[in-house]
Amino acid sequence: MLKDKRIILGVSGGIAVYKAVELLRLLTKAGAEVHVIMTRAAQEFVTPLTFQTLSGNPVHTELFNLIAEREISHISLADRSDLFMIVPATANIVGKIAAGIADDMLTTTVMATKSPVLIAPAMNVNMFTNPIYRENEERLIRFGYRFVAPVTGTLACGWEGQGKLAPPEVIFEAALETLTLKDLAGRTIMVTAGPTREEIDPVRYISNHSSGKMGYALARAATRRGARVILISGPTNLAVPDGVELLRVESACEMQAAVMAHVEGCQAVIKAAAVADYRPIDRKSEKIKKKDETATIELIKNPDILAGLGAMKSPPFLVGFAAETGMVREYAEKKLTEKNLDMIVANDVSQIDAGFNVDTNRALLLFKNGSSVECGLMSKDKLADKILDYIVTGLAPC
Ligand code: CTP
């Protein structure tokens, strides 16, 4: 996701330095080339060797190091970066940058950069709320610097309050967001995700193994790319991506009502939800008691939400999913045609790395014009971006 991106990770002193190590791991895992700059205070907490080993690049610590300057100067480091991050950022470093002080490798390089700067502060709550710090942060925001707010909790100093470094995953997401082209700006995209639950009685229901991971990955990626995202989700345990408009539903009928109430104004609908095809014909208001050796529940067909969208007079760009356990292409082609879709994402859910509840997928994309693309094993996040690439291509110009 960050392939070919060059990131400078500036690390200033504070107990949260160890979390910058975790962030570095996330950045390099996503394919970024990371160059670390550490202040003197940061080196008191974690040695440069840790960052050097994980980044695969020498760590910059001294401004006037002739050997390092000959290999890659602080100016060329600043020039060649796509993103400059400071994690954790102390009140001191924020104050110095806001005041235009450049007296070490980190402050000098950040002043020389033209790339976006993302700062994740961590400090004592009283420092964080100090009007001097607040003014420094606001000043930098006015100049276009971006901040990832610290979270509230027990601080290393023993105080309770806001000042804990944001989790590395949150900072990583902010980095991705900063580096992502906003090719879905001005678009509204609806994503349905997760399973539906069809109640039998007050304590039981019919459902399926869908975790919602693919739908949530799509919602997160579309938001990052600038779309307004309406996420209609069945029950899941997943964290709601920042910035999406979430509507929680339980049953297929509730999902249908939510979809139809919000479809107007959407340029694309991605139906990643695993909708239950049937529901009990008669939901009992009392718990069904155990009686005979066998029991039968009579079911009735649920409305096909996607087919309903496909039958609209002028449907939005429609993307369906086909979770199959065999004859994947044949069944998916049938769904593509019968539901009048622009595109369908088919996968064989009997494979352990491409089914429900895993972080990877192996999909076959089929298009209305008869073309198809095989996507080998990849993370659901990566597949989400691939699907969105095709949606961007398929949408009429704004
Ligand atoms: N779908 C829907 N409403 C339903 C059933 C399915 O909107 N009642 C959507 C799903 O969200 C998915 C696509 O239709 O995008 C295909 O779903 P799937 O369950 O694979 O196919 P079905 O049409 O239900 O057919 P079958 O279960 O027989 O494979």
Side-chain angles (χ1 to χ4, degrees), residues 271 273 275 277 303-306 320-323 335 339:
K271 282 228 76 249
V275 184
D277 289 328
D304 191 313
I305 308 168
L306 192 50
F321 273 70
K335 289 173 190 175
K339 301 194 190 199

